[in-house]
Amino acid sequence: MLSCRFEVSNMATDLVNGTIPSFYRDVYDLCSVADCVSKEMFTRLLVKSGLPQTKLSQIWELMEAKQGYLSRTSLYKALALVAWAQQGKELSIKLLDNFSGDEYPVPTLGDLSDLRLLQKQRQRQCHPGHLGMRYGDLCHLDTVTVHLVPEKKGLFLKHVEYQVTSKRFGTRVRRRYNDFVSLYDLLLGRFPYRLIPRLPPKKMNIGSDAQFIEERRQWLWRWLNLVSRHPVINQDPILQFFFTYDGDDIQHKIREIFRRVPDEFTTSELASRSKELVAADTLTELANSREQIRLITNSVSRLKQITDGLAQRSQAYGADMAELGSQLTLLASEPGSSSWATGGNQIWSEMKKGFHVISKELGVLSSKALAQSVREGAELCAQLNLLLDILLAYRDLCARHEKGVIQDHQKAHAKMLSLKKRQMQGVLRGEVESVAALEDRMLQQESVIASVELRNAYSLHCMHMETQLVHAHLELFATVISVLVSVQIRGHSELAEVWKTIQPTISKCLPEEPDH
C-alpha cells in the first residue's frame, strides 16, 4: 500500500504571495492517492507539459521527487514551475519566493484522462475491496472495434475475418473466430473468478448467412469490449498479445505461449491476504447479490424481448404501409370504363387521382418506419445486449464458483477427515505405519487445506469485486431508457409529419357532402 511522509509546511507558509488557481486543486484531486502524488504519477504529469527533458529533470530536482512522492504543496510548486518553464523563464526556487502576481500561472498539460485511470488503479491497490470505478471510467480503459474484412475464398472453403482495432494499444489486426476461442479459453483458465462473457456459438440458427455473420460480428465486438474494459483482465499480457501480435496462426501461437501461465490466485499479491479481504458475512452478501442480479437479469431479458418486438413491429408497419401504397396504386390504375357503375358520376374518378399521390407518401412512410426499426435494433438492442452479456457472465461466474472452488474445498476437507480416521485406526490396530508418520502426512494435508482456504477466500474477494463491476455496468440501463425515449420520439415524430402531409391529399379525394 502507498504510504506518504507529510511535509511540515503547507500552502499558507510555502506559497504566500499569490492565489492558488482552481486548476492546481483539480490536478491534485486527479493525481493524488492517500493524500500524496506518487513518483509514477508525477512523472506522467511532467511529460504532459511537452517540456524538454532538461527542464523536466530540473523540476524533478527542485521538487526533490526522488523521495518517491509529492505532497499537495510540492505538486502546486511543480505546476507553477512547469508554467514558468513553458513561458521560457529560467527555473529556480526563487521564482516561487519572489512571485508578486495575483495568481500563480496555469500550465498547459493537455488531456489528463489517462491519469484518472491510473489514479483509479492506485486507489484499488490501496483499497482492494472497492472497485471505485463508474461505467464511464471502464469505457476509458479501451475502445475496441470489430469489422468484417472482405471474404477470402479458396477452392474448397471460405472463412470470415475480422479487423480488430484497439484504441489503447493503437493497433489494427486481423482475427478469425477460432482466434477468439483461443483467447476465451486462456482467459477462463487464467481468471476463473472473473467475469468472462460468453462467446457466440460457432453456428446460430438466425436466418441467412449474411444475418448470421453480422450477428456474430456484433457479439464478438461486445465480448471484446467487455473483456478489454475489465480493470484486472485488461492488464494481462494474454490480452495484449491478442491485440498486438501480427504474425500467422495466432490461435495456436497464443496457446503455445500462454498455456502454462498459472491462474490469477497463484500470482496475485493479494493471495496471501485473502482472508483479510473477506468479511464474516461474505457468503450471505454473495447470496443476496446473486439473487438481486438474478432478478435484474430476468427483467433485462424481458426488456430485450420487448425492444426486439418494437423493432419487429416497426418493420412490419413499414411493410404494411408499402403494401397499402401498392394497393392504392392498383386502384388508381383501375380502368373504370363502365357507364353502368358511374352513371355520369365522376366521384370515383376524382378520388383515384389522389391515390397516386397518397401511395407515394405511403412509400415515404414505409421508409421512415423501416428506418425506425433499424434504429431500435442498432441503438437500443445493442446497449441491452451489452448489459445482458455482463449479467449472464455473472450468472456463469456464480455457477463456476459453486462447481469449482467450493467443490475442491469440500474434497480437501474430506481427505483430511479420512487421514484422521486412518490415524485412529492405525493406533488402535498397531499397524506398521507410525503415528509420527501419520501426523507428518496430516501436516502436509493441512498445508494443502490452508492453501485451498486461501483460494476460497480469494475467490470470494473476486466475487465481491465482480459484483461491484456488474453494478457499474448497470449504469447502461439509464442509457437504454434514454435511447428508448429519444428513438421513439424521433420515430413517431417522423411518422406524424408524413401523415400530416398525406391528410390534405386525402381531404381533396373525399367527395363533398351533397346540399339538401
Side-chain angles (χ1 to χ4, degrees):
M1 296 180 63
L2 184 64
S3 61
C4 301
R5 179 179 60 81
F6 296 98
E7 295 184 359
V8 176
S9 56
N10 54 39
M11 291 302 299
T13 57
D14 282 345
L15 292 177
V16 296
N17 298 327
T19 304
I20 304 303
S22 60
F23 179 77
Y24 283 29
R25 299 183 178 90
D26 292 340
V27 172
Y28 178 77
D29 291 340
L30 180 69
C31 299
S32 63
V33 177
D35 296 322
C36 63
V37 178
S38 68
K39 175 181 176 181
E40 179 184 6
M41 187 72 81
F42 183 50
T43 302
R44 293 197 181 192
L45 187 66
L46 287 179
V47 171
K48 296 282 185 181
S49 68
L51 292 171
Q53 184 61 45
T54 53
K55 292 290 185 182
L56 297 181
S57 299
Q58 193 174 0
I59 296 172
W60 183 275
E61 294 292 334
L62 290 172
M63 291 298 100
E64 298 181 352
K66 291 181 180 180
Q67 61 188 350
Y69 66 89
L70 272 79
S71 67
R72 180 191 292 267
T73 301
S74 295
L75 178 68
Y76 287 178
K77 291 179 179 180
L79 291 174
L81 290 173
V82 168
W84 282 320
Q86 290 175 333
Q87 295 172 8
K89 295 183 179 180
E90 289 296 323
L91 295 181
S92 167
I93 204 69
K94 292 182 179 180
L95 286 173
L96 296 165
D97 298 335
N98 301 331
F99 181 69
S100 59
D102 294 331
E103 184 178 79
Y104 287 96
V106 175
T108 301
L109 298 176
D111 183 17
L112 302 178
S113 58
D114 59 322
L115 297 185
R116 181 172 296 280
L117 295 177
L118 181 61
Q119 182 201 43
K120 296 287 186 182
Q121 184 179 346
R122 294 292 177 266
Q123 286 175 341
R124 290 197 303 274
Q125 292 174 353
C126 294
H127 307 284
H130 299 278
L131 178 66
M133 299 183 76
R134 298 186 58 178
Y135 181 68
D137 298 322
L138 297 174
C139 291
H140 277 105
L141 293 176
D142 201 357
T143 298
V144 176
T145 62
V146 178
H147 296 298
L148 291 171
V149 296
E151 196 174 78
K152 291 185 176 180
K153 296 183 179 181
L155 294 175
F156 303 104
L157 59 86
K158 58 183 180 180
H159 63 262
V160 177
E161 281 192 327
Y162 305 94
Q163 180 175 277
V164 176
T165 64
S166 166
K167 182 179 180 180
R168 175 189 173 198
F169 295 107
T171 54
R172 179 180 299 162
V173 293
R174 289 192 175 188
R175 297 290 179 255
R176 296 177 58 182
Y177 173 77
N178 286 338
D179 302 333
F180 285 86
V181 173
S182 293
L183 177 61
Y184 172 83
D185 291 341
L186 288 168
L187 291 180
L188 201 58
R190 172 76 173 129
F191 300 101
Y193 315 126
R194 300 293 183 179
L195 291 169
I196 310 289
R198 300 175 184 178
L199 278 178
K202 194 173 185 65
K203 293 293 182 182
M204 294 183 287
N205 297 322
I206 59 170
S208 65
D209 286 346
Q211 184 182 1
F212 157 69
I213 290 172
E214 174 57 20
E215 179 71 18
R216 191 167 71 174
R217 182 200 67 79
Q218 293 179 17
W219 195 327
L220 291 174
W221 167 78
R222 297 195 308 269
W223 184 85
L224 204 50
N225 269 286
L226 289 172
V227 168
S228 65
R229 290 171 177 175
H230 192 290
V232 174
I233 296 175
N234 83 325
Q235 298 296 316
D236 198 80
I238 298 176
L239 194 65
Q240 180 179 354
F241 186 86
F242 182 86
F243 280 123
T244 58
Y245 179 72
D246 200 24
D248 297 327
D249 197 20
I250 184 176
Q251 64 172 298
H252 296 107
K253 190 70 174 178
I254 196 172
R255 288 182 186 271
E256 176 187 343
I257 294 175
F258 295 103
R259 62 189 175 89
R260 291 190 176 88
V261 173
D263 72 355
E264 181 188 2
F265 170 76
T266 307
T267 59
S268 175
E269 296 178 355
L270 296 176
S272 61
R273 299 171 47 208
S274 297
K275 293 182 180 180
E276 302 172 16
L277 303 175
V278 178
D281 61 346
T282 295
L283 291 177
T284 301
E285 289 295 332
L286 174 59
N288 293 339
S289 295
R290 186 174 183 179
E291 177 61 16
Q292 179 192 23
I293 292 176
R294 184 188 69 81
L295 294 174
I296 293 172
T297 303
N298 290 341
S299 295
V300 173
S301 297
R302 180 63 186 132
L303 184 57
K304 175 63 168 52
Q305 294 174 355
I306 293 171
T307 55
D308 285 342
L310 287 174
Q312 292 168 4
R313 286 192 291 275
S314 294
Q315 189 173 17
Y317 182 83
D320 288 344
M321 293 302 101
E323 177 63 18
L324 180 57
S326 297
Q327 295 303 320
L328 288 178
T329 299
L330 289 174
L331 288 174
S333 303
E334 184 268 325
S337 58
S338 173
S339 60
W340 282 25
T342 61
N345 190 334
Q346 299 298 316
I347 292 177
W348 176 244
S349 298
E350 292 299 323
M351 288 175 64
K352 289 195 297 182
K353 293 179 182 178
F355 290 167
H356 276 299
V357 178
I358 296 173
S359 65
K360 292 180 181 179
E361 294 296 337
L362 288 173
V364 175
L365 196 65
S366 174
S367 299
K368 296 291 186 182
L370 293 176
Q372 171 73 356
S373 173
V374 171
R375 285 194 295 269
E376 288 167 338
E379 299 178 27
L380 189 56
C381 294
Q383 297 293 329
L384 272 173
N385 279 329
L386 195 65
L387 180 56
L388 197 55
D389 285 348
I390 203 72
L391 290 169
L392 292 175
Y394 186 83
R395 187 177 70 182
D396 293 345
L397 174 61
C398 291
R400 288 201 309 272
H401 185 265
E402 284 186 343
K403 295 177 181 178
V405 177
I406 295 177
Q407 188 178 50
D408 292 341
H409 191 56
Q410 291 172 344
K411 287 181 179 179
H413 275 294
K415 289 181 180 179
M416 187 65 183
L417 292 174
S418 176
L419 280 176
K420 289 181 177 179
K421 184 177 180 180
R422 287 183 59 185
Q423 180 194 30
M424 294 177 61
Q425 291 174 345
V427 173
L428 293 174
R429 295 178 184 176
E431 293 181 0
V432 176
E433 190 172 19
S434 67
V435 175
L438 281 171
E439 290 177 347
D440 182 64
R441 289 178 60 185
M442 286 179 61
L443 288 174
Q444 292 178 12
Q445 191 65 17
E446 283 179 338
S447 176
V448 173
I449 290 176
S451 177
V452 173
E453 288 176 343
L454 282 177
R455 176 180 288 273
N456 186 56
Y458 186 80
S459 72
L460 291 172
H461 164 68
C462 290
M463 294 289 289
H464 181 198
M465 300 306 297
E466 299 309 280
T467 302
Q468 294 181 52
L469 188 60
V470 169
H471 279 269
H473 280 86
L474 289 181
E475 291 185 36
L476 270 170
F477 201 85
T479 303
V480 167
I481 299 301
S482 176
V483 171
L484 173 63
V485 172
S486 62
V487 166
Q488 294 305 312
I489 290 174
R490 177 179 175 182
H492 288 290
S493 298
E494 289 180 350
L495 295 178
E497 288 300 319
V498 178
W499 280 118
K500 288 178 182 178
T501 304
I502 294 174
Q503 188 177 26
T505 304
I506 294 177
S507 299
K508 292 178 182 178
C509 294
L510 294 175
E512 296 181 1
E513 292 291 333
D515 297 329
H516 296 288

